[in-house]
Amino acid sequence: MFENPAPEGEPSADGDDLQPERLLALIDDETRGMKRALAVQVPVYYFVWGGAWLLGYLLLWSAWPGSTSPVAVPGWLAIPAFAVLMLGAAITSAAVGIRSNRGIKGVSDFVGTVYGLSWPILGGTVAAIGYALVRAGISDDAAAIYYTSAYALLVAAMYLAGTLVWHSADQLVIALVMAVAAAVTGFFGAPANMLAMALIAGPALLIGGVIALVRLRRM
Amino acid sequence: MDELDPVIHASARLRITAVLAALTAGDRMSFPRLQELLGMTAGNLSTHLRKLEDAGYVEVDKTFQGRSPATYLSLSAAGRRAFEDYTAQLRSLLGGEP
């Protein structure tokens, strides 16, 4: 019953006979290939956001008055650079997410769209609350603590949501690290909170990227 | 030992079924993405999809994206069950747990 294997990917006549081991390997190859195609963007998310948080908050810390940074970066450079890093990470994430899910409709499409749109919606909410606080007269240092911690809290909440949706233990670990960073960095005061955030969130996300890459290669 | 399902027991249709089985239940995949993942020609893929559809294993959803026609494919409940049975039979043939 099981005889000459047909070339993989070649048109196969009905009833072409393969060994059971070969058939199971064929199924395994396709299943892993499909899972890899749907997960290929995950390390990209971690790397671009890890880089953006690490570099972005280091720049802001270096530019803040009273910073102990050995390199003084002018504010006119640090603030736009921070904005470009965050915007670049957001655009890259959206682009790779859309690309990896192209051609797939249904439950995942809906979940992915809602999850993807939640980031800018909640990010805008955090910014609006911060703007209201600044208008109400909070100091620059208090605003720095608010924005830094509130965005880390947003990331923690979104990664918790990601844990529930995609059953990802990696996302749970990142969510907990970000929640701790949101909770504790404010106690360092500004601008040290930004240095602390850069050194906690950045490496956590970059390590997450390395782990995601290793998992992807082992699929 | 029952005969292996002749609809799935052809490498091209087995590969198609395996890819569609890896989709989350409730999801559908477009014809071009399936073609890209499998590296098959459009004609070859269409031929095998028709056989799977005739057997009731694949559901074909023809729709429009703007003005362009688009075809989305998914495994039916019968197709998913047939794939699981087929895999279990193979494992059983190899002496493992079905």
Side-chain angles (χ1 to χ4, degrees):
Chain A
M1 179 171 187
F2 298 104
E3 290 167 2
N4 303 320
E8 190 178 342
E10 288 295 309
S12 56
D14 281 357
D16 59 349
D17 290 335
L18 304 179
Q19 297 293 336
E21 296 92 338
R22 183 75 194 94
L23 290 164
L24 276 176
L26 200 63
I27 292 169
D28 192 42
D29 282 351
E30 295 302 342
T31 306
R32 285 188 293 119
M34 175 69 182
K35 285 183 179 169
R36 201 179 296 124
L38 296 179
V40 73
Q41 81 284 11
V42 175
V44 179
Y45 293 149
Y46 285 121
F47 285 130
V48 295
W49 283 108
W53 279 66
L54 180 62
L55 277 176
Y57 278 107
L58 279 178
L59 281 169
L60 285 187
W61 167 68
S62 303
W64 205 262
S67 167
T68 55
S69 168
V71 181
V73 179
W76 60 262
L77 177 65
I79 293 167
F82 179 83
V84 166
L85 282 167
M86 294 300 158
L87 199 63
I91 291 169
T92 306
S93 298
V96 296
I98 290 166
R99 179 168 165 71
S100 78
N101 288 311
R102 72 193 183 285
I104 295 174
K105 269 191 168 183
V107 177
S108 299
D109 181 35
F110 175 75
V111 169
T113 302
V114 172
Y115 183 82
L117 289 176
S118 298
W119 284 94
I121 291 169
L122 295 178
T125 306
V126 167
I129 296 169
Y131 182 61
L133 289 171
V134 170
R135 279 189 60 179
I138 65 166
S139 67
D140 288 350
D141 282 6
I145 289 170
Y146 164 78
Y147 278 115
T148 305
S149 284
Y151 276 112
L153 181 60
L154 164 61
V155 173
M158 289 302 295
Y159 272 73
L160 275 179
T163 303
L164 295 173
V165 173
W166 292 289
H167 309 287
S168 161
D170 295 354
Q171 291 207 35
L172 178 61
V173 173
I174 299 283
L176 293 176
V177 170
M178 294 303 286
V180 169
V184 304
T185 53
F187 291 100
F188 291 101
N193 70 313
M194 291 181 267
L195 175 63
M197 187 59 77
L199 297 180
I200 296 171
L205 288 163
L206 292 174
I207 291 167
V210 172
I211 292 169
L213 198 59
V214 170
R215 288 197 201 284
L216 192 66
R217 295 223 167 132
R218 285 183 180 169
M219 270 185 187
Chain B
M1 171 60 60
D2 294 335
E3 280 295 304
L4 287 164
D5 187 334
V7 178
I8 300 181
H9 189 56
S11 61
R13 291 198 290 280
L14 180 59
R15 294 179 65 218
I16 295 167
T17 311
V19 167
L20 292 179
L23 273 179
T24 303
D27 279 352
R28 294 161 290 154
M29 182 178 283
S30 71
F31 185 94
R33 185 82 198 270
L34 184 61
Q35 188 190 345
E36 176 197 311
L37 282 168
L38 292 168
M40 292 167 74
T41 64
N44 190 26
L45 180 56
S46 293
T47 303
H48 288 292
L49 279 171
R50 198 167 301 118
K51 288 183 180 170
L52 289 165
E53 187 187 10
D54 290 345
Y57 288 179
V58 162
E59 288 173 352
V60 179
D61 177 21
K62 290 186 186 292
T63 182
F64 279 89
Q65 283 182 331
R67 290 186 175 184
S68 306
T71 303
Y72 282 84
L73 306 139
S74 59
L75 274 192
S76 65
R80 197 169 284 274
R81 195 163 50 245
F83 178 68
E84 285 166 1
D85 289 347
Y86 183 86
T87 310
Q89 274 182 290
L90 287 179
R91 292 214 169 91
S92 174
L93 277 170
L94 289 171
E97 288 295 315

